[in-house]
Amino acid sequence: MAEHFTSAALVGCTGLVGSQIFKTLASLPSNPTTHAIARRALPLDSPNIKPHINAESSTWPDIIKGLPPTPSVFFSAIGVTKAQAGSLEAQRKIDLDLNVSLAQAAKDSGVKIYVLISTATASQGSKFPYYKMKADVEEAIKSVGFPYTVFIKPGLLIGDRDETRIAEGIARGVAKGLGAINKGLTDGWAQDADVIGRAAVSAGMQCTEGKKSEGVWYVDQAEIVRLGRTEWKGA
């Protein structure tokens, strides 16, 4: 499936990692048409960005089905905290149900490459509901049946968030401090949001260009660093 990376669709483009995917797509020299679907204003403007702003996410599947042309790659960085959602059930409706409905809409419209920002801690055997839910999302997405399914699985996300999470904020501060000394001190457990965003775009590009075989690709923390920092050339 050797093709050029000409277009993309992105949901979750105003979050910590999603905004970095958005910025990376907007900066590519190839200028792919990027359909950015969001509830609120986008973090930046660019000639190749096609915004689709609608606060009602139930309309997003129809938006995806009507995108011209069919995107080469569909990126999802949707995710909320339990505190933001109000309950675990409400969180599942976004992280799981919405992600799956958008993936199905993308598949129905002819998208062949799907990239999801997941987490290294996703596990169906976990005692923690969040980690189990993330594993449930992965399993549900796999069942949609894209020719290429990519799960980006970072550790702790390093970057500035709009909301405050005390324990995570402390860990992030430690990671920032260690990373300033030597990135090797954090690469195995925490990654910068911009590196994760570039890794997601790089993975999508490799699938588009026929450099990866069809199937499911789990991009772990070491591969995130390789794709998003060590080997990243802004292609």
Side-chain angles (χ1 to χ4, degrees):
M1 178 192 171
E3 299 178 1
H4 293 296
F5 188 89
T6 57
S7 62
L10 168 65
V11 292
C13 48
T14 58
L16 180 58
V17 175
S19 62
Q20 295 300 326
I21 296 175
F22 181 81
K23 291 176 182 178
T24 301
L25 290 170
S27 67
L28 290 177
S30 57
N31 294 316
T33 298
T34 300
H35 296 279
I37 303 163
R39 291 188 175 92
R40 51 193 172 92
L42 301 177
L44 60 86
D45 189 20
S46 176
N48 61 314
I49 300 298
K50 307 299 180 185
H52 304 269
I53 310 300
N54 194 314
E56 183 47 68
S57 59
S58 63
T59 66
W60 293 1
D62 287 337
I63 291 174
I64 292 168
K65 291 178 182 178
L67 295 178
T70 299
S72 303
V73 186
F74 186 91
F75 296 92
S76 177
I78 288 178
V80 296
T81 65
K82 180 180 175 182
Q84 288 173 317
S87 67
L88 180 61
E89 181 181 0
Q91 185 182 29
R92 286 182 66 88
K93 287 181 179 179
I94 296 173
D95 280 47
L96 178 59
D97 297 347
L98 180 57
N99 259 318
V100 173
S101 67
L102 298 179
Q104 189 62 61
K107 176 67 163 49
D108 292 345
S109 69
V111 172
K112 294 180 172 58
I113 303 167
Y114 177 93
V115 181
L116 175 75
I117 303 300
S118 185
T119 176
T121 52
S123 171
Q124 290 194 309
S126 177
K127 296 180 181 179
F128 296 95
Y130 177 78
Y131 300 151
K132 184 179 186 305
M133 177 186 66
K134 286 298 186 181
D136 290 343
V137 174
E138 291 183 3
E139 290 302 311
I141 295 299
K142 283 194 291 186
S143 70
V144 174
F146 289 95
Y148 297 84
T149 302
V150 183
F151 296 121
I152 308 294
K153 298 172 71 67
L156 179 69
L157 307 182
I158 304 175
D160 296 325
R161 290 186 179 274
D162 291 335
E163 76 277 5
T164 300
R165 306 178 187 181
I166 297 175
E168 189 174 303
I170 293 172
R172 188 176 296 114
V174 172
K176 283 183 178 180
L178 292 174
I181 299 170
N182 186 332
K183 287 294 185 183
L185 297 174
T186 58
D187 284 345
W189 59 279
Q191 292 78 45
D192 291 305
D194 59 342
V195 173
I196 300 166
R198 291 196 297 265
V201 172
S202 179
M205 292 171 66
Q206 290 196 21
C207 293
T208 304
E209 295 165 0
K211 295 178 180 178
K212 299 295 293 186
S213 300
E214 292 190 9
V216 180
W217 179 13
Y218 294 96
V219 180
D220 63 17
Q221 296 179 75
E223 277 196 291
I224 288 171
V225 172
R226 177 177 64 82
L227 294 174
R229 191 177 75 219
T230 308
E231 297 180 358
W232 177 256
K233 295 181 176 63

